[in-house]
Amino acid sequence: MERLHSTVRLLLIIYVSGVVIASVVAVGLWRWQHVRLYSVQTNSMQPTFQAGDAVLVKQADTSNLHAGEVVSYTSPASPRVIVSHRVISVDKARGLVTTKGDNAKRPDVSFSPNLVRGQVSAVLPWLGHILDNMHKPLGLAVGVYMPAAFVLISEMRRLAKHYGRGDYKVLSYR
């Protein structure tokens, strides 16, 4: 039974360490490389990527946009929505970009290049599901808080057992 507890504790420590390392890497990419990670919510870009995937978006020079690139931009209709679609035309004279989802029948409403967040540089399958769940209280509790609590309690019990043996003496200075 003790071996099982040790194995579970080790797995939880590895898991929590992985979450911490992934968070540090994500913040580092965001701060220094201007890279963002967005969760895909629809199948409008199938087969390139689909709902439940995540896209890695690197900051792009909007003056060099061209047809064929997949970009992420703030929706002109709703500033809280980020859309990742393929550029189908760039009208430099009017200052408008037109995009379309690979799986969509019609192009999107044209928009100003200053709404472009960046160019999609990678697709990470299924990671969007994890990101979405981590934004919910239950997902955060199950995915981060509970494993961290188990590791903390396990380590406290191990230390209490270790120091409770009597092998250590308290030094007193008089």
Side-chain angles (χ1 to χ4, degrees), residues 65 87-98 110-113:
L65 291 178
V87 174
I88 58 171
S89 71
V90 178
D91 185 347
K92 291 189 180 190
R94 292 179 31 206
L96 295 174
V97 176
T98 306
S110 297
F111 58 91
S112 170

Side-chain angles (χ1 to χ4, degrees), residues 52-101:
D53 291 347
V55 290
L56 200 62
V57 177
K58 187 160 176 109
Q59 191 173 17
D61 180 11
T62 56
S63 64
N64 288 332
L65 291 178
H66 60 275
E69 290 181 304
V70 179
V71 296
S72 293
Y73 63 93
T74 304
S75 169
S78 177
R80 294 188 59 164
V81 174
I82 306 298
V83 179
S84 297
H85 280 171
R86 193 173 306 281
V87 174
I88 58 171
S89 71
V90 178
D91 185 347
K92 291 189 180 190
R94 292 179 31 206
L96 295 174
V97 176
T98 306
T99 60
K100 179 181 168 297

Side-chain angles (χ1 to χ4, degrees), residues 10-23:
L10 177 64
L11 290 174
L12 286 172
I13 288 171
I14 291 169
Y15 173 78
V16 171
S17 300
V19 169
V20 169
I21 290 168
S23 299

